[in-house]
Amino acid sequence: MSFALCVALAAVLGACQACGGEPAQATPVVTPTSQAGAVAVNGERGATQADEALNSKPLKLPLSRPKVVVEKSARRLSLYSGGEVVRSFRIGLGEKPEGDKVREGDRRTPEGTYYVCVKNAQSAFYLSLGINYPNAEDAERGLRDGLITRAQYRKIVRAAKRNATPPWNTTLGGEIFIHGGGSQSDWTWGCVALENAHVKELFDSLPLGTPVHIEP
């Protein structure tokens, strides 16, 4: 799929739909702080005073060799430039945050190495950055487990080789985005949710093709 067609698709969708459409945004739930200077999110450590100090510094643009690292267990997204962390944001995950995404509708956030394949300025969740789930590794698993056909496998692998958007309409699911809408609970259908101000920084500074590493 060409980049232009991918952008057009995202604009028509108008949202991060993540395997069939996000539910209405849940009311954020903030749990008591887990330790001094930290905000707990669903029982996990959230933004610290150190994070807030880091995030208050001006972001030097353009970024040098940017990459994004998502730590699911810590509910944290880190932005790197030149090998150093320049931003650290609290995140919300899919409604079933434990474990890797396996198939459409499981409401899990995938784990693995991806890249930004589309930027949607008309998302229903403020702004969104699409990642190329399913990638080649996901396709290999899906083919092995009988979730996709050989033809679908080849399309996904070809997209990964071209840094393009993979098919988002297979049994593996798709339309996984980093988007706004709030980070104080796990409320998405598999996406990574941020505060709007935070996703705007990412949207404005990250080019297509930026690596996104999602860790358990």
Side-chain angles (χ1 to χ4, degrees):
M1 182 185 295
S2 69
F3 170 63
L5 183 56
C6 185
V7 171
L9 173 62
V12 170
L13 291 170
C16 162
Q17 294 184 342
C19 308
E22 289 280 10
Q25 183 174 341
T27 301
V29 177
V30 181
T31 57
T33 53
S34 57
Q35 51 184 294
V39 177
V41 182
N42 295 338
E44 300 291 343
R45 185 179 178 184
T48 66
Q49 292 177 347
D51 293 336
E52 293 175 359
L54 177 67
N55 296 341
S56 67
K57 297 179 180 179
L59 196 61
K60 296 180 180 180
L61 299 176
L63 300 177
S64 173
R65 306 187 312 277
K67 72 174 180 179
V68 171
V69 175
V70 173
E71 300 168 85
K72 290 173 59 176
S73 59
R75 303 300 193 275
R76 179 185 296 114
L77 181 150
S78 299
L79 172 64
Y80 285 76
S81 178
E84 297 183 356
V85 178
V86 293
R87 288 291 185 268
S88 181
F89 298 139
R90 183 179 63 238
I91 60 172
L93 300 171
E95 291 180 341
K96 296 182 179 180
E98 300 297 329
D100 194 4
K101 184 169 186 61
V102 175
R103 60 185 302 147
E104 179 180 5
D106 62 13
R107 304 193 183 189
R108 291 175 176 167
T109 301
E111 299 169 3
T113 298
Y114 302 93
Y115 54 79
V116 175
C117 66
V118 65
K119 298 173 73 171
N120 181 10
Q122 299 180 345
S123 171
F125 300 97
Y126 186 55
L127 298 167
S128 60
L129 300 164
I131 67 169
N132 70 311
Y133 173 87
N135 63 15
E137 289 75 18
D138 300 317
E140 291 175 6
R141 170 183 53 77
L143 182 64
R144 181 190 68 235
D145 295 345
L147 296 175
I148 59 173
T149 66
R150 176 72 61 177
Q152 290 171 326
Y153 166 81
R154 288 195 292 265
K155 288 180 179 179
I156 294 170
V157 172
R158 282 199 299 268
K161 290 180 178 179
R162 302 194 312 269
N163 278 3
T165 303
W168 279 345
N169 59 349
T170 73
T171 305
L172 296 178
E175 298 175 39
I176 301 297
F177 285 74
I178 300 170
H179 62 60
S183 63
Q184 294 182 343
S185 66
D186 295 327
W187 59 274
T188 78
W189 277 20
C191 295
V192 175
L194 297 167
E195 300 304 314
N196 288 353
H198 296 164
V199 78
K200 178 169 174 53
E201 277 204 295
L202 297 182
F203 190 91
D204 290 344
S205 62
L206 293 181
L208 293 173
T210 298
V212 178
H213 305 283
I214 305 180
E215 303 173 353

